[in-house]
Amino acid sequence: MMLTTLLLSTAAHATPVDREDVSVHTAHVLPWGEVMFGTSGLHAGILPHVQIGVRPWLTALGLPSGTVRVGVVDTRWLDVAVNGHGTFDTFAGTRLSAVGGGATASVEAGRFGLHTGLSHTWVHAEGIPTRSPWWLPTGGGGDPLATASTDPGMSGVVPVLHGGTTSLRGAGDVHVAGPLSLLVQGVRTWSTLGASVEGQLPAEVASLAPAVDLHGLWTVSGSMVLSLGRLQLRGGAGASSVPYAWIPQANAAHLRLGGKSAKRMELQGIDSDGIADL
């Protein structure tokens, strides 16, 4: 009886702690077998402490993108996760890759939660598109990218863009009452992009790097969060150095399905009568 009780207790503690909010600003990971979809994409817990995700709307725009999150610390008061993400595309004569990773930590104390994360993304793109994507307006004068790609003066020319972005994120939340919480977020991003040109261009313009230093990107927002069972709604307002960039940070909706509580509760409690009988 004692051995059986010990094994049940060990299994219960090995199960990831269930969290209401597994948004990008937290270090929380979806339980194994659970799926979440909403404004941030489609995410799934594929193994204990391992979550993957995709962004269908970026794929529809021709930019297939994926994420992975692995929980390395999972306790009642502290979670730490490492994150990875990537976007890859070959479109009409161009190649793009954006690959990055980082770490996030979340501390929970009663009604309060604090979250912080640091990430870096490496960006590389090369080539001149032979046409514009379907979603980009080209106006009534034809496709400017198609015109540029057929210009004899551009024959053999391959523009290359390279660089990276580093982002520091912080967030705090407080449970007010019932299903209502308040969430404040801030993100600061430093970006350095360089450009160069391969091909037959005059020597004085053959090298264009470094090109851009985007050192002033920031976003802050405040939101009310409503957790209705497995549906979470977030609405609020904010400010950002790029107009309207705060909108997806302050506003979101997610629905979680599958996995989760029934089997876990069965494992942790089996039911009080069952444990009493062991």
Side-chain angles (χ1 to χ4, degrees):
M1 181 183 72
M2 293 182 60
L3 178 60
T4 304
T5 304
L6 177 62
L7 290 175
L8 289 171
S9 175
T10 302
H13 287 290
T15 303
V17 178
D18 183 37
R19 305 291 191 182
E20 284 189 354
D21 194 350
V22 292
S23 301
V24 66
H25 66 273
T26 75
H28 308 323
V29 179
L30 280 171
W32 185 9
E34 187 165 325
V35 174
M36 179 179 75
F37 67 91
T39 52
S40 68
L42 176 64
H43 308 272
I46 60 169
L47 290 171
H49 308 287
V50 180
Q51 170 186 320
I52 61 172
V54 295
R55 298 183 176 97
W57 37 91
L58 283 182
T59 301
L61 294 177
L63 295 169
S65 176
T67 64
V68 61
R69 183 185 301 180
V70 179
V72 294
V73 176
D74 184 4
T75 69
R76 290 289 175 185
W77 63 275
L78 173 66
D79 281 10
V80 178
V82 292
N83 313 284
H85 58 270
T87 299
F88 305 90
D89 187 36
T90 299
F91 170 76
T94 64
R95 288 182 293 175
L96 167 70
S97 63
V99 181
T104 308
S106 294
V107 176
E108 307 282 346
R111 292 175 174 265
F112 300 92
L114 294 176
H115 318 274
T116 185
L118 183 66
S119 64
H120 184 79
T121 302
W122 293 267
V123 180
H124 182 87
E126 61 181 70
I128 301 177
T130 57
R131 58 183 174 85
S132 297
W134 63 268
W135 44 267
L136 185 67
T138 56
D143 188 340
L145 289 177
T147 302
S149 66
T150 57
D151 186 337
M154 299 298 290
S155 178
V157 174
V158 181
V160 179
L161 182 69
H162 49 82
T165 66
T166 300
S167 295
L168 177 64
R169 177 186 295 272
D173 59 72
V174 55
H175 178 226
V176 179
L180 181 64
S181 300
L182 299 179
L183 171 65
V184 177
Q185 298 186 75
V187 180
R188 181 75 160 81
T189 300
W190 298 265
S191 301
T192 301
L193 300 176
S196 59
V197 176
E198 300 175 2
Q200 300 302 314
L201 285 179
E204 60 269 22
V205 297
S207 178
L208 305 178
V212 184
D213 183 13
L214 304 174
H215 59 276
L217 302 181
W218 54 267
T219 305
V220 295
S221 66
S223 308
M224 291 192 302
V225 181
L226 194 61
S227 299
L228 303 172
R230 311 193 75 179
L231 173 66
Q232 185 184 90
L233 304 174
R234 183 196 312 164
S240 55
S241 57
V242 176
Y244 310 112
W246 56 267
I247 291 177
Q249 178 176 295
N251 302 275
H254 301 100
L255 179 64
R256 294 167 62 172
L257 301 171
K260 199 183 171 182
S261 51
K263 291 185 178 179
R264 183 168 314 134
M265 292 299 293
E266 192 175 324
L267 174 64
Q268 292 177 338
I270 304 240
D271 86 57
S272 56
D273 295 339
I275 290 182
D277 292 339
L278 292 176

